[in-house]
């Protein structure tokens, strides 16, 4: 059943296998509402098993990727909640990040303009980040009196940029520009503003042509092995790689090499 979200745009190109989710509140810099959080979470859960979807792009319309939680629709409303109500909300935000990480499809973030607060953590949860030159980013939580440990940021960010840089970003809440974000490894690539979506799409299409099971295992292993010692990691990899050798894509690669053609991965 195709996705029909109400709070953002969804497009699936059957020819390439790429699905695109576009945050679509440009007049609010794509600030998040309760509905957006829930629908995004549900979308990534659904796309994990959606036939024909082999890679996903997440982007934002207008002058921003995402400026974080909407000041009126979320922040103001939180002051009316007791601890249990607040906990229910934070569990939803965490569930979105978990859904992105557990989605077996590669997720490419196409970042433009403002990437802030919850938007910055959502970007960090994606597998690869392609950024426009305008894409400034900040983990703003301490700037509004909260902890930098929000939505998994203190787990995700050190794994991308290292403990020291993550500490500075999460403790100060300061914006850094695209050039600095690329220098420290937070952005994979930086391109001209008008080229960011095309660059992200080209990469997503390349990943969509790849071996889906092999990419799924790669993504899962990158998360799992952080908590393992070398011996445990090697034991895990021997098991999963042997399984990949039974996958039809391994034989397809061999047959394509022998026939001097590009492999057609399933």
């Amino acid at each position: 059943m195709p996705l029909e979200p109400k709070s953002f745009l969804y497009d699936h190109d059957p020819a390439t296998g790429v699905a695109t989710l576009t945050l679509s509140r440009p007049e609010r810099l794509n600030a998040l509402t309760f509905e957006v959080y829930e629908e995004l979470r549900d979308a990534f859960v659904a796309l994990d098993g959606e036939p024909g979807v082999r890679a996903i792009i997440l982007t934002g319309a207008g002058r921003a990727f995402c400026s974080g939680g909407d000041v009126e629709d979320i922040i103001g409303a939180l002051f009316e909640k007791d601890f249990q109500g607040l906990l229910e909300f934070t569990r939803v935000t965490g569930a979105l990040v978990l859904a992105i990480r557990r989605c077996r499809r590669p997720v490419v973030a196409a970042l433009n303009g403002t990437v802030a607060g919850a938007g910055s953590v959502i970007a960090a949860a994606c597998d690869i980040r392609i950024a426009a030159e305008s894409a400034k980013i900040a983990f703003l939580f301490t700037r509004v009196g909260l902890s930098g440990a929000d939505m998994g940021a203190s787990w995700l960010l050190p794994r991308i940029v290292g403990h020291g840089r993550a500490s500075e970003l999460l403790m100060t809440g300061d914006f850094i520009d695209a050039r600095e974000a690329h220098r420290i490894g937070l952005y994979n690539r930086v391109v001209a503003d008008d080229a960011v979506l095309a660059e992200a799409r080209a990469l997503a299409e390349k990943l969509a042509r790849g071996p889906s099971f092999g990419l799924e295992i790669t993504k899962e292993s990158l998360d799992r092995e952080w908590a393992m010692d070398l011996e445990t990691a090697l034991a895990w990899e021997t098991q999963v790689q042997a399984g990949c050798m039974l996958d039809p894509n391994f034989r397809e690669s061999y047959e394509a090499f022998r026939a001097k053609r590009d492999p057609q991965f399933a």
Side-chain angles (χ1 to χ4, degrees):
M1 181 177 178
L3 266 66
E4 297 181 350
K6 298 177 182 178
S7 61
F8 55 88
L9 304 178
Y10 173 73
D11 176 72
H12 173 223
D13 182 355
T16 63
V18 175
T20 303
L21 309 180
T22 305
L23 301 175
S24 55
R25 302 180 72 220
E27 74 286 354
R28 303 287 291 173
L29 298 182
N30 298 318
L32 301 167
T33 65
F34 295 114
E35 182 182 28
V36 177
Y37 270 118
E38 292 172 355
E39 281 206 303
L40 273 179
R41 174 201 61 196
D42 294 345
F44 278 102
V45 171
L47 290 173
D48 179 56
E50 182 70 16
V53 173
R54 297 172 60 86
I56 301 166
I57 296 170
L58 180 60
T59 192
R63 298 181 295 112
F65 171 70
C66 175
S67 58
D70 191 285
V71 174
E72 299 301 328
D73 291 349
I74 285 187
I75 308 302
L78 292 180
F79 292 109
E80 300 175 5
K81 295 181 180 291
D82 60 13
F83 178 79
Q84 188 59 40
L86 294 170
L87 188 59
E88 290 173 2
F89 166 68
T90 55
R91 283 173 172 165
V92 169
T93 67
L96 167 56
V97 168
L98 194 61
I100 296 172
R101 294 309 311 154
R102 285 187 173 173
C103 181
R104 291 171 291 178
R105 312 303 187 245
V107 182
V108 179
L111 307 174
N112 53 298
T114 301
V115 186
S120 63
V121 188
I122 291 170
C126 296
D127 297 301
I128 300 173
R129 285 156 293 283
I130 307 299
E133 292 173 342
S134 64
K136 60 180 182 178
I137 186 168
F139 297 79
L140 290 173
F141 309 106
T142 58
R143 299 277 290 272
V144 296
L146 297 175
S147 164
D150 190 90
M151 296 175 65
S154 59
W155 189 94
L156 292 162
L157 200 54
R159 288 161 169 77
I160 300 171
V161 302
H163 186 274
R165 291 190 176 105
S167 298
E168 183 175 359
L169 288 170
L170 294 178
M171 288 181 176
T172 65
D174 289 344
F175 273 101
I176 57 173
D177 62 22
R179 179 179 296 181
E180 176 66 5
H182 181 256
R183 187 187 72 81
I184 66 176
L186 182 51
Y187 293 166
N188 295 78
R189 304 178 195 173
V190 176
V191 299
D193 282 33
D194 60 1
V196 64
L197 192 55
E199 185 83 3
R201 185 173 290 114
L203 177 58
E205 290 178 1
K206 178 179 181 179
L207 293 169
R209 293 191 297 269
S212 55
F213 184 59
L215 292 173
E216 169 191 337
I217 293 299
T218 301
K219 180 169 181 174
E220 182 179 1
S221 298
L222 284 166
D223 282 352
R224 278 179 176 263
E225 293 188 35
W226 272 98
M228 298 179 184
D229 59 29
L230 177 59
E231 185 175 359
T232 306
L234 287 169
W236 162 260
E237 290 194 5
T238 58
Q239 292 287 325
V240 296
Q241 194 72 313
C244 286
M245 290 173 181
L246 294 174
D247 188 77
N249 282 325
F250 184 51
R251 177 168 291 279
E252 166 59 16
S253 177
Y254 171 69
E255 298 293 350
F257 176 79
R258 294 187 64 189
K260 297 182 180 180
R261 60 173 174 80
D262 292 332
Q264 300 297 312
F265 291 125

